[in-house]
Amino acid sequence: EELTLGIVSLTPSSIKKFITISDEAIDLTGENFIRYIYDELTYQIAKKAEDELITLIKNAPAASTASAVGVPVVSAAPALGVIAQAIANLSDRSANPVIIMNKLTYANFVAAQAAANYSIDPFMGLPVEFNNSLPAYNSASSNAVYAIVGDLKGATVNYPEGDGVSLKYDDLSEAEKDLVKIVGRQYAAHAVTACGRFCNIKKGSGL
């Protein structure tokens, strides 16, 4: 068997979120409020990184090239056998697949399950992860990816400066406005790096 090796590039980019608060609000609410702000900024940065990875998976080509890992496609409306079709496109190395979809799409699958008197699990026993950066099926345009089935170990996330979020408390740059800026930043690079680990589910034309 002839093996062809490709190259996948991981290019780090900066993910930054910040909030500006009056210094009076900080003085009144104290340390617990600052801790809440730090936690919220960290969450928003992690969510942004997650959304960027989802975008890479859904925009991947259907077939692999020398510079991109392919993600096969199933085109269908939410129905009892759709997840099974997607699983059939995964390799044997996809050991722990999950389903990723919008919560409104989840409701479509549950409706299909109810219509069949709950005789079949449309999710095939797989855990469902919600990500609303994927469109809901009912509002998705034709050929849009509305769900992803796959093993997340098929993607690589690299943090060149460590996986922690850098937080800065700036009470000087806008001091004349009585404002404090709190900035969170993280450098991360994402890529789909393993073949056969994901399958996109698209809304077919005319559906």
Side-chain angles (χ1 to χ4, degrees):
E1 180 182 5
E2 180 180 350
L3 297 178
T4 302
L5 298 180
I7 298 174
V8 176
S9 298
L10 286 167
T11 304
S13 61
S14 173
I15 302 174
K16 182 174 69 173
K17 298 286 184 180
F18 68 89
I19 186 170
T20 303
I21 311 165
S22 72
D23 53 10
E24 291 180 350
I26 291 177
D27 290 341
L28 288 173
T29 51
E31 183 179 345
N32 288 337
F33 179 66
I34 295 298
R35 186 177 297 114
Y36 164 77
I37 294 297
Y38 284 170
D39 289 345
E40 184 64 21
L41 286 172
T42 300
Y43 167 78
Q44 292 296 337
I45 288 172
K47 181 67 169 66
K48 176 65 174 174
E50 177 183 301
D51 293 348
E52 289 182 358
L53 180 58
I54 294 299
T55 297
L56 287 174
I57 297 170
K58 72 179 184 180
N59 290 340
S64 295
T65 67
S67 59
V69 174
V71 175
V73 175
V74 169
S75 294
L80 296 181
V82 174
I83 301 300
Q85 292 179 50
I87 293 172
N89 283 278
L90 303 180
S91 72
D92 292 344
R93 297 187 68 182
S94 184
N96 297 294
V98 299
I99 306 164
I100 306 170
M101 65 177 63
N102 188 297
K103 289 182 178 179
L104 291 172
T105 303
Y106 177 84
N108 292 127
F109 278 95
V110 172
Q113 183 183 31
N117 294 317
Y118 298 93
S119 58
I120 299 175
D121 175 13
F123 306 114
M124 306 299 293
L126 300 184
V128 179
E129 303 288 342
F130 296 119
N131 186 297
N132 286 344
S133 69
L134 288 170
Y137 173 78
N138 289 341
S139 59
S141 57
S142 293
N143 296 316
V145 174
Y146 69 86
I148 297 168
V149 177
D151 187 340
L152 292 173
K153 289 185 177 179
T156 298
V157 181
N158 179 261
Y159 302 100
E161 295 186 347
D163 58 5
V165 173
S166 171
L167 294 164
K168 295 182 179 180
Y169 181 94
D170 177 8
D171 59 355
L172 299 177
S173 62
E174 298 194 58
E176 75 282 1
K177 300 177 184 177
D178 298 324
L179 296 175
V180 173
K181 181 181 288 186
I182 301 175
V183 182
R185 186 195 301 271
Q186 184 178 50
Y187 285 94
H190 314 76
V192 181
T193 52
C195 295
R197 299 294 182 92
F198 297 100
C199 181
N200 286 324
I201 302 177
K202 286 188 175 183
K203 183 176 185 177
S205 299
L207 294 179

